[in-house]
Amino acid sequence: AQTVTQSQPEMSVQEAETVTLSCTYDTSESDYYLFWYKQPPSRQMILVIRQEAYKQQNATENRFSVNFQKAAKSFSLKISDSQLGDAAMYFCAYRSVSGGADGLTFGKGTHLIIQP
Amino acid sequence: DAMVIQNPRYQVTQFGKPVTLSCSQTLNHNVMYWYQQKSSQAPKLLFHYYDKDFNNEADTPDNFQSRRPNTSFCFLDIRSPGLGDAAMYLCATSTPGGIDDTQYFGPGTRLTVL
């Protein structure tokens, strides 16, 4: 079974600075998707960024980028120019490609605090 | 805007009293999922429907059931809620293998069991 580990229960960063959230995973499959989701307090979970394992290029979405290291099974999220609105719970998630409709396997999450 | 809608947002029930949570989508996605998220924990998949095919996770208690009467709607039924079932219940949808093979989540229903 696949597992996803987020080793940082909580991170704090000053507004406008850069922060990196860590995620590692364990799988025996070669093709899969990795995701970072953001869950603000009392609000719905939204997709931040998605990476397909067969793509070597790291995904980027505006201020959000990932460092995907397939051999190391590492998938970290970098948030540049942090804003107050970035404060949320961040979940790393995995899904196999062959699984088709399989659900996501989530890590336990990292609570990101933005200091004004 | 296309979206995933969950009703109600907050549900209070009594111990042992059946409760139904609702999810609807305007995304026309094939798959609808139900996750349970307990306080400060990661979401855990309960089951999903791929079109009309129901797929239950092995460790989902029998107390939890689901119905999908049509493409747009999916319901989560808890037959006899216990105190341990208090949680946020998240509905998500996707179309696997599509151009946008991503799960989209609704806002969740927070269930309180008294």
Side-chain angles (χ1 to χ4, degrees):
Chain A
Q2 294 81 20
T3 58
V4 177
T5 302
Q6 293 179 249
S7 58
Q8 305 154 317
E10 186 172 281
M11 291 283 285
S12 182
V13 64
Q14 290 289 126
E15 193 176 2
E17 294 189 346
T18 296
V19 64
T20 298
L21 308 184
S22 301
C23 173
T24 59
Y25 58 94
D26 188 25
T27 183
S28 59
E29 299 181 330
S30 59
D31 205 5
Y32 46 87
Y33 297 109
L34 295 165
F35 306 85
W36 279 99
Y37 279 88
K38 169 185 177 181
Q39 188 178 40
S42 302
R43 294 177 62 187
Q44 73 192 86
M45 192 170 305
I46 59 173
L47 178 69
V48 174
I49 201 164
R50 169 182 127 155
Q51 176 78 42
E52 292 152 19
Y54 70 87
K55 291 185 177 179
Q56 293 187 344
Q57 186 173 5
N58 289 325
T60 299
E61 286 288 343
N62 301 315
R63 297 182 296 107
F64 299 87
S65 61
V66 298
N67 183 4
F68 173 49
Q69 302 289 330
K70 190 173 184 180
K73 295 180 181 175
S74 172
F75 182 61
S76 61
L77 174 69
K78 185 171 84 171
I79 306 174
S80 303
D81 185 25
S82 299
Q83 300 176 359
L84 294 178
D86 295 333
M89 200 74 176
Y90 285 81
F91 290 97
C92 178
Y94 169 101
R95 204 206 86 202
S96 70
V97 170
S98 63
D102 285 356
L104 298 170
T105 299
F106 286 91
K108 291 187 175 181
T110 296
H111 181 213
L112 179 63
I113 298 168
I114 310 295
Q115 304 278 6
Chain B
D1 288 339
M3 55 198 308
V4 181
I5 302 162
Q6 290 188 245
N7 287 303
R9 294 290 310 276
Y10 300 90
Q11 176 73 58
V12 180
T13 190
Q14 292 182 333
F15 183 95
K17 185 175 181 180
V19 65
T20 294
L21 310 182
S22 170
C23 177
S24 64
Q25 57 139 339
T26 61
L27 296 161
N28 202 32
H29 283 169
N30 298 99
V31 188
M32 296 186 77
Y33 306 84
W34 281 104
Y35 290 85
Q36 179 192 61
Q37 186 180 21
K38 294 189 176 181
S39 182
S40 302
Q41 295 186 20
K44 179 180 180 298
L45 182 67
L46 295 173
F47 28 57
H48 73 268
Y49 268 97
Y50 197 143
D51 294 326
K52 295 182 179 181
D53 293 330
F54 179 68
N55 297 271
N56 198 26
E57 293 298 297
D59 56 355
T60 298
D62 293 340
N63 198 27
F64 291 87
Q65 298 184 339
S66 186
R67 297 170 283 134
R68 188 178 186 185
N70 54 52
T71 301
S72 301
F73 283 86
C74 194
F75 299 99
L76 170 62
D77 299 309
I78 308 176
R79 292 192 297 182
S80 181
L83 297 179
D85 297 327
M88 177 74 86
Y89 290 88
L90 302 173
C91 176
T93 71
S94 77
T95 293
I99 295 173
D100 183 15
D101 189 357
T102 298
Q103 291 189 21
Y104 291 89
F105 286 81
T109 294
R110 184 168 296 283
L111 178 68
T112 300
V113 182
L114 301 177

